[in-house]
Amino acid sequence: MATETHCPYCSLQCGMRLAGRRVPEVQAWEEFPVNRGALCRKGWAAAGLYGSRERLTSPLVRDRESGEWSAVSWDDALDRVAAGIRAAQAAKGPDGVAVFGGGGLTNEKAYSLGKLARAALGTSQIDYNGRWCMSSAASAGIRAFGLDRGLPFPLADVEEADVLVLVGSNLAETMPPAARHLDRLRERGGRVVVIDPRRTPTADRADLVLQPVPGTDLALALGVLHLLVAAAAVDEDYLAARTTGWESVRDSVAGWWPERGERVTGIEAHELRALAAMLAGSPKVMVLTARGAEQHSTGSDTVLAWINVALALGMVGKRGAGYGCLTGQGNGQGGREHGQKADQLPGYRRIDDPAARAHVAGVWGVDPDTLPGPGRSAYELLDALGTDDGPSALLVMGSNIVVSAPNATHVTSRLEALDLLVVCDVVMSETAAIADVVLPVTQWAEETGTMTNLEGRVVLRQKAITPPSGVRSDLDVIAGLAARLSDVPFATDPEEVFAELGRASAGGPADYSSITYDRIRDEGGVFWGGERLFAETFAHVDGRARMYAVEHRGAAEVPCADYPVHLTTGRVLAQYQSGAQTRRTRALPDDGPFVELHPLLAGRLGVAAGDPVRVATRRGSMAAPARVVTTIRPDTVFVPFHWVGANRLTNDALDPASRMPEFKVCAASVASLLEEVAQRPSRDPVTHA
Ligand code: SF4
């Protein structure tokens, strides 16, 4: 009999059935409302990693001198990790050990990991890779609405919009089953606007495509709002009744006339006017942002600027309209709610709030005064590893830092400076390969747990497959370490952990206390906070949304003589995040990295399609074959980030509010490697040098 469960990958958390416990087969689950049986190729191929010969099935320890790996028992491995943590904390105090989680971990794991750090280890040094994914939208949502839930409405509401503005989202390629909502919207006569420096497959479904200079989405929003004010298209009654701060926002956009917007964004004034006219005349406007707009050192303000547009039009809280963020990682939403973030306790509570500390400490059975305060954000934490003031031991769960961190060469050197690096993973990822101890864990449908999808819908990823012998769940690892290092009890049964999470989150902004596994099964998922938010009131004490006057600042790095083009990064359909799973799935094509550039730029460089090129930034370089396409701006190159290399290039400049690194734009140079390759004695394939 098939088991109803969910895809291991993105935030859509498509429902699927899995049949066969030994050789799993993915089948459609038509009744699940989010995807109605549709899956992208990653979902259909999800079972491919199961049974892989690369699967780790025994704890491994590495001898630093010889580099040799040895298999050890679980007790031995956990004892070594506990001893290393004790040594780090004896030398440096509680913050001598750090914990790094992931936005793909189940809610139960994210919660337990946060509890492990705060209650068992007493360290403030915990953060996770979701900081690099959704934190700018989260920060902006909290500031504007008092609450961060990526989509405050079901995804299907998209179909009801008259105009949908996608800012920095390649939805058709990153979550293809969601693209049907765009088709239905257009069948109804609605229109789609796509704003992206690359003309992606999503643009094929658009009525208006704008390709701004990377890093200028904020200026574009200011220019649009300027035109809406000039056209008297703002909803003054809504603004007066439901917001604060409008006057200063209105004044701040006064100088953003279209010609100035054109100079900054590269979008012609008549196109800006066309967009504004489209918005001004539409009863239902929906703005959705994604990583293209958010992964910037100005990402948080960029989101606020687009929220201002949605609020000025009186759209937020109206059905089929408003603002939302298209979360990326599988549990990007739940992963940022239950305590693996540096400043946070379960239920989206702040760790510096005395009442929150008392409540959570009560659930954990510890003295609130023993809980640490806020720690470092993800990049700042990694940057501090192995330094005099930083942790000397690190536990990594659900993250492949060596591939996914910005300025990755530097970050890798920080990992290598640790006294102890422990990685829990299913395969020997690039990060596991430099660890001291690798703990082989269960994955995906080998275990049960909840995920919270991009709509705030809590779903149950049920166990459907028997895990290989020798592996343990992350919950077992956490409990095993906690038992060695503290007397704080940790449950290992996911349903028990979820019930505890519910108690810990009760009364918080993200309150899961009324959600149970049975309710999720019966109701096809449960929205925390309700299906639709903000219809009557926002989550600030006075019930009003806050509008902030934000300024265009531009990218932290702009092209110059040495680095004359913009570099941007992103995803391809067949791969997911750092590729640790999808690159090992045979049914998914792994064509390796490439450098996408416009024919005008290629012509200037003397590069033809398939030629090897080197992309360099101030932080590093990589080589890959060229793809010459007319769909990218001539001043911009694109590299996918699923392979080692792209993030050696990216900029670690951080957003001041969200601490999000500027993954999406930096200054780069591009050069042909044709001559260099031709002069090699044997024509080596292009490598990620
Ligand atoms: Fe999985 Fe996302 Fe593809 Fe759905 S869209 S099948 S959740 S990767």
Side-chain angles (χ1 to χ4, degrees), residues 6-16 34-35 38-46 171 173-178 328 330 461 571 573 575-576 582:
H6 295 270
C7 174
Y9 300 121
C10 85
S11 67
L12 210 52
Q13 281 303 291
C14 292
M16 58 170 63
V34 176
N35 59 309
L39 299 169
C40 77
R41 63 192 306 177
K42 293 188 291 290
W44 288 117
L171 177 147
E173 205 167 9
T174 55
M175 47 179 74
R461 195 191 269 175
R571 288 166 54 179
L573 173 59
Q575 299 295 326
Y576 182 69
T582 48

Coordinates of all heavy atoms in Angstrom, one line a residue, residues 6-16 34-35 38-46 171 173-178 328 330 461 571 573 575-576 582, ligand 1:
H6 N 5.6 13.7 1.3 CA 5.8 14.9 0.6 C 7.3 14.9 0.0 O 8.1 14.2 0.5 CB 5.7 16.1 1.5 CG 4.3 16.3 2.0 ND1 3.4 17.0 1.3 CD2 3.6 15.8 3.0 CE1 2.2 17.0 1.8 NE2 2.3 16.2 2.9
C7 N 7.4 15.6 -1.0 CA 8.7 15.7 -1.7 C 9.8 16.2 -0.8 O 9.6 16.9 0.1 CB 8.5 16.7 -2.9 SG 10.1 17.1 -3.7
P8 N 11.1 15.7 -1.0 CA 12.1 16.1 -0.1 C 12.7 17.5 -0.4 O 13.6 18.0 0.3 CB 13.2 15.1 -0.4 CG 13.0 14.6 -1.8 CD 11.5 14.7 -2.0
Y9 N 12.2 18.1 -1.4 CA 12.9 19.3 -1.9 C 12.2 20.6 -1.5 O 12.2 21.0 -0.3 CB 13.3 19.2 -3.4 CG 14.2 18.0 -3.6 CD1 13.8 17.0 -4.5 CD2 15.4 17.9 -3.0 CE1 14.6 15.9 -4.8 CE2 16.2 16.8 -3.2 CZ 15.8 15.8 -4.1 OH 16.6 14.7 -4.4
C10 N 11.7 21.4 -2.5 CA 11.4 22.8 -2.2 C 10.2 23.1 -1.4 O 9.5 22.2 -0.9 CB 11.3 23.5 -3.6 SG 9.7 23.5 -4.3
S11 N 10.0 24.4 -1.2 CA 9.0 24.9 -0.2 C 7.5 24.6 -0.6 O 6.6 24.8 0.2 CB 9.1 26.4 0.0 OG 8.8 27.0 -1.2
L12 N 7.3 24.1 -1.9 CA 5.9 23.8 -2.2 C 5.5 22.6 -1.4 O 4.3 22.4 -1.2 CB 5.9 23.5 -3.7 CG 4.6 23.8 -4.5 CD1 4.1 25.2 -4.2 CD2 4.8 23.6 -6.0
Q13 N 6.5 21.7 -1.1 CA 6.2 20.5 -0.4 C 5.0 19.7 -1.0 O 4.0 19.4 -0.4 CB 5.9 20.8 1.1 CG 7.2 21.0 1.9 CD 8.1 19.8 1.8 OE1 7.9 18.7 2.3 NE2 9.2 20.0 1.1
C14 N 5.2 19.4 -2.3 CA 4.2 18.7 -3.1 C 3.9 17.4 -2.4 O 4.8 16.7 -2.0 CB 4.7 18.4 -4.5 SG 4.9 19.9 -5.5
G15 N 2.6 17.0 -2.4 CA 2.2 15.7 -1.9 C 2.5 14.7 -2.9 O 2.4 14.9 -4.1
M16 N 2.9 13.5 -2.4 CA 3.2 12.4 -3.3 C 2.9 11.1 -2.5 O 2.9 11.1 -1.3 CB 4.6 12.3 -3.8 CG 5.7 12.3 -2.7 SD 7.4 12.0 -3.2 CE 7.7 13.4 -4.3
V34 N -2.2 21.3 -2.7 CA -1.2 22.2 -3.2 C -0.7 21.9 -4.6 O -0.6 22.8 -5.5 CB 0.1 22.2 -2.3 CG1 1.2 23.1 -2.8 CG2 -0.4 22.7 -0.9
N35 N -0.5 20.6 -4.9 CA 0.0 20.3 -6.3 C -0.9 19.4 -7.1 O -0.7 19.1 -8.2 CB 1.4 19.6 -6.2 CG 1.4 18.4 -5.3 OD1 0.9 18.4 -4.2 ND2 1.9 17.3 -5.8
A38 N 0.6 16.8 -9.4 CA 1.7 17.3 -10.3 C 3.0 17.3 -9.5 O 3.0 17.7 -8.3 CB 1.4 18.6 -10.9
L39 N 4.1 16.9 -10.1 CA 5.4 17.0 -9.5 C 6.3 17.5 -10.6 O 6.1 17.3 -11.8 CB 5.9 15.6 -9.0 CG 5.1 14.9 -7.9 CD1 5.6 13.5 -7.8 CD2 5.2 15.6 -6.6
C40 N 7.4 18.1 -10.2 CA 8.5 18.4 -11.1 C 9.4 17.2 -11.2 O 9.3 16.3 -10.5 CB 9.2 19.7 -10.8 SG 10.4 19.5 -9.4
R41 N 10.4 17.3 -12.1 CA 11.2 16.1 -12.4 C 12.0 15.8 -11.1 O 12.3 14.6 -10.9 CB 12.1 16.3 -13.6 CG 13.1 17.5 -13.4 CD 13.8 17.8 -14.8 NE 14.4 16.6 -15.4 CZ 15.0 16.6 -16.6 NH1 15.0 17.7 -17.3 NH2 15.5 15.5 -17.0
K42 N 12.3 16.7 -10.3 CA 13.0 16.4 -9.0 C 12.1 15.6 -8.1 O 12.6 14.6 -7.5 CB 13.4 17.7 -8.3 CG 14.5 18.5 -9.0 CD 15.0 19.6 -8.2 CE 14.0 20.7 -7.9 NZ 13.6 21.5 -9.1
G43 N 10.9 15.9 -8.1 CA 9.9 15.1 -7.2 C 9.8 13.7 -7.8 O 9.8 12.7 -7.0
W44 N 9.6 13.6 -9.1 CA 9.4 12.2 -9.7 C 10.7 11.4 -9.4 O 10.6 10.2 -9.3 CB 9.1 12.3 -11.2 CG 7.7 12.8 -11.5 CD1 7.4 13.9 -12.1 CD2 6.5 12.2 -11.1 NE1 6.0 14.0 -12.2 CE2 5.4 13.0 -11.6 CE3 6.1 11.0 -10.4 CZ2 4.1 12.6 -11.4 CZ3 4.8 10.7 -10.2 CH2 3.8 11.5 -10.7
A45 N 11.8 12.0 -9.4 CA 13.1 11.3 -9.3 C 13.6 11.2 -7.8 O 14.6 10.7 -7.6 CB 14.2 12.0 -10.1
A46 N 12.7 11.6 -6.9 CA 13.2 11.7 -5.5 C 13.7 10.4 -4.9 O 14.6 10.4 -4.1 CB 12.0 12.3 -4.6
L171 N 9.6 31.1 -10.9 CA 8.7 30.1 -10.4 C 8.5 28.9 -11.3 O 8.4 27.8 -10.9 CB 7.4 30.8 -10.1 CG 6.2 30.1 -9.6 CD1 5.4 31.1 -8.6 CD2 5.3 29.8 -10.7
E173 N 10.5 27.5 -13.2 CA 11.6 26.6 -13.3 C 11.9 26.0 -11.9 O 12.4 24.9 -11.7 CB 12.8 27.2 -13.8 CG 13.8 26.3 -14.5 CD 14.9 27.0 -15.3 OE1 15.0 28.2 -15.2 OE2 15.6 26.3 -16.0
T174 N 11.7 26.8 -10.8 CA 12.0 26.4 -9.5 C 10.9 25.6 -8.8 O 11.2 24.7 -8.0 CB 12.4 27.5 -8.6 OG1 11.4 28.5 -8.6 CG2 13.7 28.2 -9.1
M175 N 9.7 25.8 -9.1 CA 8.6 25.1 -8.6 C 7.5 24.9 -9.7 O 6.4 25.5 -9.6 CB 8.0 25.7 -7.3 CG 7.8 27.1 -7.3 SD 7.1 27.7 -5.7 CE 8.6 27.6 -4.6
P176 N 7.8 24.1 -10.7 CA 6.9 24.0 -11.9 C 5.4 23.8 -11.6 O 4.5 24.3 -12.2 CB 7.5 22.9 -12.7 CG 8.9 22.9 -12.3 CD 9.0 23.3 -10.9
P177 N 5.1 22.9 -10.6 CA 3.6 22.7 -10.4 C 2.9 24.0 -10.0 O 1.7 24.0 -10.2 CB 3.6 21.7 -9.2 CG 4.9 20.9 -9.3 CD 5.9 22.0 -9.7
A178 N 3.6 25.0 -9.5 CA 2.9 26.2 -9.1 C 2.6 27.1 -10.3 O 1.8 28.0 -10.3 CB 3.8 27.0 -8.1
G328 N 11.9 29.5 -0.3 CA 12.7 28.6 -1.2 C 12.8 27.1 -0.6 O 12.4 26.2 -1.2
G330 N 12.7 23.6 1.5 CA 11.6 22.7 1.9 C 10.8 23.1 3.1 O 9.6 23.2 3.2
R461 N 5.2 14.8 6.6 CA 6.0 14.0 5.7 C 6.1 12.6 6.4 O 6.9 12.4 7.3 CB 7.4 14.6 5.5 CG 8.1 14.0 4.3 CD 9.5 14.5 4.3 NE 9.7 15.8 3.6 CZ 10.8 16.4 3.5 NH1 11.9 16.0 4.2 NH2 11.0 17.5 2.8
R571 N 19.3 29.0 -9.7 CA 19.0 27.6 -9.8 C 18.7 27.1 -11.2 O 18.3 27.9 -12.1 CB 17.8 27.2 -8.9 CG 18.2 27.2 -7.4 CD 16.9 27.2 -6.6 NE 16.1 26.1 -6.8 CZ 14.9 25.8 -6.2 NH1 14.5 26.7 -5.2 NH2 14.2 24.8 -6.4
L573 N 16.5 23.8 -13.2 CA 15.3 22.9 -12.9 C 15.7 21.6 -12.3 O 15.0 21.1 -11.4 CB 14.5 22.7 -14.2 CG 13.4 21.7 -14.2 CD1 12.3 22.1 -13.1 CD2 12.7 21.5 -15.5
Q575 N 18.2 20.5 -10.6 CA 19.1 20.5 -9.4 C 18.4 21.3 -8.2 O 17.6 22.1 -8.5 CB 20.5 21.0 -9.6 CG 21.2 20.2 -10.7 CD 21.5 18.8 -10.3 OE1 21.8 18.5 -9.1 NE2 21.5 17.9 -11.2
Y576 N 18.9 20.9 -7.0 CA 18.3 21.6 -5.8 C 19.4 22.0 -4.9 O 20.2 21.2 -4.5 CB 17.3 20.6 -5.1 CG 16.7 21.3 -3.9 CD1 15.7 22.3 -4.1 CD2 17.0 20.9 -2.6 CE1 15.2 22.9 -3.0 CE2 16.4 21.5 -1.6 CZ 15.5 22.5 -1.8 OH 14.9 23.2 -0.7
T582 N 20.5 15.9 -5.4 CA 20.1 15.8 -6.8 C 21.3 15.5 -7.7 O 21.1 14.8 -8.7 CB 19.5 17.1 -7.2 OG1 20.3 18.2 -6.8 CG2 18.1 17.3 -6.6
Ligands
SF4_1 FE1 9.4 18.8 -5.1 FE2 9.3 21.4 -5.3 FE3 9.3 19.9 -7.5 FE4 7.2 20.0 -5.9 S1 8.0 21.7 -7.1 S2 8.1 18.2 -6.8 S3 8.2 20.2 -3.8 S4 11.0 20.1 -5.9

